[in-house]
Amino acid sequence: MPHAPGVHAPVPHASVPLASDVHAPVPHASVPLASDVHGPVPLASDAHASVPHAPNVHKPDAPVPHASDANTPGAPISPLASHPPAPTPYEPAAPNSTSPEPGSTPAAPDPGGHPTPDSPPRLAQLPPPPAHFTGRADIHRALCETLAPLSAHPKAHPYPTSHPHPLAVITGMAGVGKSALALHTAHALKDRFCDGQLYVNLHGATPGMTPLTSGQALHALLRDLGVEPRHIPEHPDAATALLRTLLAPTRTLMVLDDAENAAQVRPLLPAGTGCAVIVTSRSPLTALDGARRFPLTPLSGEDSAALLRAVSGRDSLDAAHPLVELTGRLPLALRVVAARLAARRALTPDVLAGQLAATESRLHHLEYDDLSVRRSLAVAHDALAASDRRTDRDAALALRHIGALDLPSYGAPLLARLAGTDERRTESALDRLVDVALLEETAYGRYTPHDLVRDFARELATPAGQHSSVADAGPPTPTPAANPHSTPTRTEPPPPLSPDLTDTALAWYAARAEHTLTAIVEPGLDQDDRRRPTAAQLPGHAGEVAATDPFPRPEDAFAWGDSELENIVALVTRYRDTPDPRRTAHISTLVRLLFPYVLRSGRVAEMEVLGRVALGAARRLGDAAAEAYALGDLAGLHFLTGRQSEALGLNDQALEIWWRLDAVSWIRRCLNNRGLLLEGLGHYAESGVALRQSLAYSRQLNDPYGEAVTHSHLGNLYEHTDPRAAIEQHRRSLAIGDDIGAVIVQHSAHCNIGYAHLTLGEPAAAVPHFEESLRILGGHGDWHGESQTRLGLVRALRLLGHTATEHAATEGTPTEDTPTHTTRAHSECTELLRRADARADRYMGGLARHQLGLLLREMGREQEACDAWRTALDALDGTDEKAVVQELSELLSQRDARRPSRP
């Protein structure tokens, strides 16, 4: 079978084919003491429901809170109950005012005020289990196994004494359901911790609250364990030692909810092997040794729908309903939506979904009563913005920059450029955003916010959003005098962001694109011409380029492009029709310099978008050279996708502009491309004329690279009449490539020699050339050349296997080579398909599936072969790959003819 016309040719301009948890917000005003307050019944468990706690009586002479009084999730609290004073002014108080479990007795203190080892405390401080708990079955099971694996003996400790106490840390962003899971699990394990359960809300991220210090939490725990305040050691280490002494002989479960950091938690951990601890935190607490971490992500679609149904009573909601994705599958947001639906029966899910989808920010609709996604997110941001630490303030600013740009993902270099700081400082800021669960590091050095965090960041980036702080979004905040532990709030909004952040980003991307170009395109006319400024290029571009470091290797440039291409496409698409000529000029320059990377990477979908945006920008700017670039680049796209007739028309339009501008080197490239395309379309005489003209221009320009490319295309042309002469042309191209060290020329020459041997019916001679082509290419990222080489290797190996099979059948002797060749051909074809599909390259995918079907047929898998051929035929529809399309139609017709007719 003939190979695809022109696909094995080295390509012009730079070897391209053608030139060219959810804590319910806490009111922070003065409220009744804990003994007078009962928190609201939770709406839904997985979003950390608001739950009441057992009332405790605080005597006037005993103002110290108990651990259970440290505020249950979402329940109103008094400043006094939430923030115990320092130990010095403590007065004697009742040894234990926490309600014990029925039938249990409090510890009897010894004369020193300590409980006796023979009478361990039996506390039951857990808030009620969350209602409507949904999902998390696997994580819940893993938590139970970690904290208290079942023992063969009911009185035995749940873990060997040689192991430390189990410590589970549940982490995740605001509203993801950390506390709900912790309480659900803790209640499931109560019976395995017969000596009691302790609960402390550390207020690491509670709206309007300052996090408890470890000392405050220690005093609360010791008091609830029966230690009189006057006997609590003032030194933190001594207090920690006493806590561990009291808990060592017990089987106690401790829940430390909403921790701020590891330092806050570490002094509270027991040492007894019968104890277990569950910690919830937005931070991963990686500095906490010996912990098993359970990071939570948003719920699945099915679990999200189940939570909506359970809380709202709307049984028709399923995973496909828009509300599921509009809430980001975040339990807190799901609870808010469900609460609104439950409160207003006339409000339909479809209407509410329309309200969420119709606004730039969904956060306004994700507030109900004391539940607020915005307020939950604002806690972390406002604490960062009001911090005395530079890294925290940098983090708050970085989040505003993220909202201003609104890109799919972020890296430190771009954000450093926007902030005017160095990359190391910006990396620290981004790490802080990860610590407080406002960003997720999806890959090393790449950061992505949850969709609702995006909405919050957008608000921060706008004048209206500058006041989206806890103080503005929540209930009235008491004065510092009324609550000395309240979170400091800003009295002035942050300074406005620079209005030209988008232009700064586009200029930075254009500078990095030029460094990408110089890293992947060999030095010479191809690189120089592409870098030459067009009329609309802004004068500041050269300074941007000088201010950034070049890529040390081509692989680094390709890796940068792979990580940033989605962002670039998003920016370029968003501003494709901007009336701002300066922004349009940025876009034009960026796409022109980036296109060789996109073309060599084979990113077909992105090429289409960028090429058309560049063409429109050039025409609006009246920049003829930029227009010619865009036309040539779009021609390259059409060539790669098998639409050679369309590519020829675009190439000729570009050629006309270059003639008008008297740009000789570009005239040479367009003539070379014209010859390549005409050869592929079967116009051999016209192809020869164009190629010889291009060769003359190459010699006139003293351009050995261009001369090598033209010899290669002449080889393609000669292959139709004299494959041996074609091989000679390819060898001349290879010699030039070796002389100037042009990797793309070298690998293309070997690939084309391999195809010529296939035309001669010599697959064994073709295989080494295809293998050498792939070896030379290495990490230089020429998808066109790589894909054609892999396709040729598949064909050669398949033919070798087929020939060996026929020979064995004729001679009546088995051969060991047949399965080896066929198996390797199948493996290479599968890999080619994987790479093509990853790039959305339907054309190459169709050519590969054609070969896959032939392989499957020879392996006796006829039905799979037909399925592959039908997919290939669909992919190649509308291309100029006439011969392959005809063969596919014949193969499928033969299969249908052999199929037995129905009776």
Side-chain angles (χ1 to χ4, degrees):
M1 186 193 85
H3 61 275
V7 292
H8 50 288
V11 291
H13 15 303
S15 306
V16 290
L18 289 178
S20 100
D21 193 339
V22 175
H23 290 283
V26 181
H28 170 184
S30 297
V31 296
L33 291 177
S35 59
D36 298 319
V37 174
H38 296 277
V41 176
L43 287 170
S45 64
D46 207 16
H48 190 104
S50 300
V51 291
H53 60 276
N56 292 281
V57 178
H58 291 275
K59 297 182 179 181
D61 62 342
V64 184
H66 299 275
S68 59
D69 293 329
N71 190 30
T72 57
I77 59 171
S78 71
L80 181 62
S82 303
H83 305 286
T88 303
Y90 285 4
E91 296 295 334
N96 186 359
S97 61
T98 303
S99 302
E101 287 183 328
S104 68
T105 58
D110 64 12
H114 298 230
T116 64
D118 296 332
S119 303
R122 295 181 180 179
L123 303 177
Q125 296 183 342
L126 293 178
H132 307 303
F133 189 84
T134 305
R136 315 291 194 199
D138 292 341
I139 298 179
H140 171 68
R141 185 162 44 253
L143 274 165
C144 290
E145 285 299 314
T146 297
L147 294 165
L150 289 173
S151 173
H153 194 282
K155 292 186 177 180
H157 277 206
Y159 356 86
T161 56
S162 60
H163 289 185
H165 68 275
L167 173 59
V169 178
I170 304 173
T171 65
M173 67 175 292
V176 80
K178 301 182 291 294
S179 298
L181 176 60
L183 291 176
H184 179 71
T185 302
H187 277 277
L189 296 174
K190 278 197 309 184
D191 293 341
R192 304 192 204 176
F193 295 93
C194 57
D195 293 319
Q197 306 87 43
L198 298 171
Y199 175 88
V200 185
N201 191 330
L202 298 172
H203 298 303
T206 303
M209 299 295 299
T210 297
L212 293 181
T213 67
S214 57
Q216 291 169 331
L218 269 172
H219 281 278
L221 284 167
L222 288 169
R223 173 171 173 154
D224 276 3
L225 287 170
V227 182
E228 293 186 10
R230 62 184 177 181
H231 294 298
I232 296 175
E234 293 187 17
H235 195 282
D237 290 347
T240 296
L242 178 57
L243 177 67
R244 291 172 179 165
T245 298
L246 296 176
L247 293 178
T250 72
R251 291 175 60 179
T252 302
L253 176 64
M254 181 185 294
V255 177
L256 302 176
D257 201 5
D258 192 17
E260 181 185 28
N261 52 46
Q264 185 188 34
V265 170
R266 196 176 289 112
L268 311 179
L269 300 179
T273 57
C275 296
V277 183
I278 305 176
V279 183
T280 71
S281 178
R282 296 187 186 185
S283 168
L285 304 184
T286 52
L288 210 56
D289 295 334
R292 182 177 178 187
R293 288 169 181 81
F294 296 86
L296 297 189
T297 58
L299 295 174
S300 68
E302 292 295 337
D303 288 340
S304 297
L307 182 57
L308 284 174
R309 290 193 299 268
V311 180
S312 71
R314 308 297 179 95
D315 295 335
S316 62
L317 289 166
D318 59 22
H321 196 277
L323 282 177
V324 170
E325 293 305 321
L326 286 168
T327 56
R329 295 179 283 110
L330 194 68
L332 174 59
L334 290 163
R335 286 183 59 208
V336 172
V337 166
R340 293 177 60 133
L341 292 174
R344 298 178 59 191
R345 303 307 296 179
L347 177 63
T348 68
D350 290 345
V351 168
L352 183 53
Q355 292 174 351
L356 287 169
T359 60
E360 292 184 1
S361 174
R362 291 164 282 184
L363 300 182
H364 173 72
H365 297 285
L366 296 178
E367 294 185 347
Y368 186 81
D369 199 357
D370 63 344
L371 301 175
S372 170
V373 174
R374 176 190 286 115
R375 206 153 49 231
S376 184
L377 295 171
V379 173
H381 167 266
D382 286 4
L384 293 172
S387 173
D388 293 332
R389 297 177 65 232
R390 186 184 71 177
T391 298
D392 289 354
R393 297 193 303 275
D394 287 347
L397 179 60
L399 189 63
R400 296 177 66 205
H401 286 158
I402 285 170
L405 283 186
D406 194 17
L407 299 176
S409 65
Y410 300 86
L414 172 59
L415 291 172
R417 174 66 182 86
L418 297 180
T421 60
D422 60 83
E423 292 184 22
R424 181 172 298 180
R425 179 173 166 181
T426 302
E427 287 170 356
S428 297
L430 292 171
D431 287 342
R432 280 295 289 141
L433 290 175
V434 172
D435 285 343
V436 298
L438 289 173
L439 282 184
E440 179 185 0
E441 191 174 15
T442 53
Y444 181 73
R446 301 302 300 179
Y447 302 84
T448 304
H450 182 274
D451 285 349
L452 297 181
V453 177
R454 287 186 185 279
D455 287 353
F456 178 70
R458 291 189 199 106
E459 289 187 359
L460 292 173
T462 61
Q466 291 173 4
H467 303 284
S468 296
S469 64
V470 175
D472 296 317
T477 303
T479 64
N483 184 1
H485 302 289
S486 61
T487 301
T489 55
R490 293 191 300 263
T491 58
E492 296 182 1
L497 296 177
S498 171
D500 60 351
L501 284 178
T502 298
D503 289 340
T504 301
L506 287 169
W508 182 83
Y509 274 123
R512 300 308 286 154
E514 180 159 334
H515 284 308
T516 301
L517 172 69
T518 57
I520 68 175
V521 176
E522 290 84 353
L525 279 177
D526 278 16
Q527 182 188 119
D528 295 342
D529 286 350
R530 179 70 69 154
R531 294 177 63 192
R532 185 169 293 113
T534 65
Q537 180 171 302
L538 296 172
H541 172 74
E544 286 280 352
V545 174
T548 57
D549 295 329
F551 295 105
R553 304 175 305 162
E555 294 88 342
D556 299 314
F558 278 109
W560 177 87
D562 293 345
S563 64
E564 295 289 354
L565 183 58
E566 187 180 12
N567 285 350
I568 293 171
V569 171
L571 274 176
V572 166
T573 304
R574 188 182 306 157
Y575 299 106
R576 65 186 306 161
D577 298 320
T578 177
D580 183 348
R582 182 178 181 83
R583 188 162 292 175
T584 303
H586 279 310
I587 290 172
S588 178
T589 300
L590 167 57
V591 177
R592 167 172 56 85
L593 295 169
L594 187 71
F595 214 89
Y597 151 76
V598 185
L599 195 60
R600 288 200 183 186
S601 298
R603 306 294 289 267
V604 174
E606 292 86 349
M607 289 165 59
E608 183 92 36
V609 172
L610 295 175
R612 298 201 177 282
V613 170
L615 183 59
R619 287 173 173 170
R620 290 199 307 277
L621 292 167
D623 189 336
E627 181 180 358
Y629 276 113
L631 288 166
D633 291 339
L634 282 171
L637 164 66
H638 288 303
F639 172 74
L640 280 183
T641 54
R643 295 171 288 173
Q644 299 190 49
S645 297
E646 297 172 62
L648 181 62
L650 290 165
N651 181 76
D652 285 350
Q653 291 181 53
L655 178 59
E656 182 180 351
I657 294 174
W658 293 125
W659 277 115
R660 193 167 67 243
L661 296 176
D662 195 26
V664 177
S665 60
W666 279 106
I667 292 170
R668 194 278 303 164
R669 290 184 189 85
C670 284
L671 287 170
N672 191 69
N673 291 336
R674 178 175 170 79
L676 171 66
L677 293 166
L678 288 168
E679 177 264 324
L681 292 168
H683 304 300
Y684 302 140
E686 294 176 74
S687 171
V689 171
L691 290 174
R692 289 183 179 87
Q693 288 177 327
S694 177
L695 188 61
Y697 276 116
S698 293
R699 290 168 177 167
Q700 174 185 330
L701 292 166
N702 190 25
D703 180 11
Y705 185 91
E707 185 176 347
V709 171
T710 305
H711 278 301
S712 182
H713 290 177
L714 283 169
N716 297 339
L717 179 62
Y718 293 169
E719 192 176 315
H720 295 284
T721 56
D722 187 351
R724 298 294 179 191
I727 291 175
E728 180 57 31
Q729 289 291 325
H730 294 316
R731 292 196 181 279
R732 293 178 68 178
S733 178
L734 178 59
I736 297 173
D738 288 341
D739 190 46
I740 63 176
V743 170
I744 299 299
V745 169
Q746 293 169 325
H747 106 82
S748 296
H750 278 290
C751 174
N752 292 336
I753 292 171
Y755 272 105
H757 281 297
L758 286 180
T759 302
L760 290 166
E762 301 169 349
V767 167
H769 286 285
F770 290 129
E771 293 173 334
E772 180 65 8
S773 177
L774 289 174
R775 186 196 67 77
I776 292 172
L777 185 59
H780 282 74
D782 178 11
W783 168 243
H784 172 67
E786 177 193 347
S787 61
Q788 292 304 326
T789 303
R790 291 187 182 278
L791 184 66
L793 181 59
V794 169
R795 286 184 55 194
L797 291 169
R798 181 182 63 78
L799 290 172
L800 284 174
H802 181 72
T803 302
T805 300
E806 289 185 336
H807 178 77
T810 301
E811 299 295 327
T813 58
T815 175
E816 297 179 357
D817 292 335
T818 303
T820 302
H821 293 314
T822 303
T823 300
R824 186 182 171 199
H826 185 269
S827 176
E828 291 284 353
C829 194
T830 301
E831 177 63 16
L832 175 58
L833 269 173
R834 184 190 69 78
R835 298 187 182 211
D837 290 346
R839 291 168 170 80
D841 189 341
R842 285 171 50 82
Y843 174 65
M844 180 49 61
L847 295 175
R849 284 182 171 86
H850 169 222
Q851 294 297 316
L852 179 63
L854 295 172
L855 284 164
L856 291 170
R857 182 183 65 178
E858 293 181 7
M859 298 165 70
R861 296 155 63 178
E862 295 256 346
Q863 185 56 52
E864 293 177 69
C866 287
D867 292 343
W869 289 333
R870 289 191 182 93
T871 305
L873 193 59
D874 180 64
L876 296 174
D877 183 40
T879 71
D880 293 306
E881 204 58 59
K882 310 297 185 188
V884 177
V885 168
Q886 181 179 349
E887 182 177 342
L888 286 167
S889 299
E890 292 174 355
L891 288 167
L892 290 169
S893 297
Q894 293 168 8
R895 166 68 176 173
D896 292 339
R898 291 196 303 271
R899 184 177 299 165
S901 59
R902 294 182 178 178

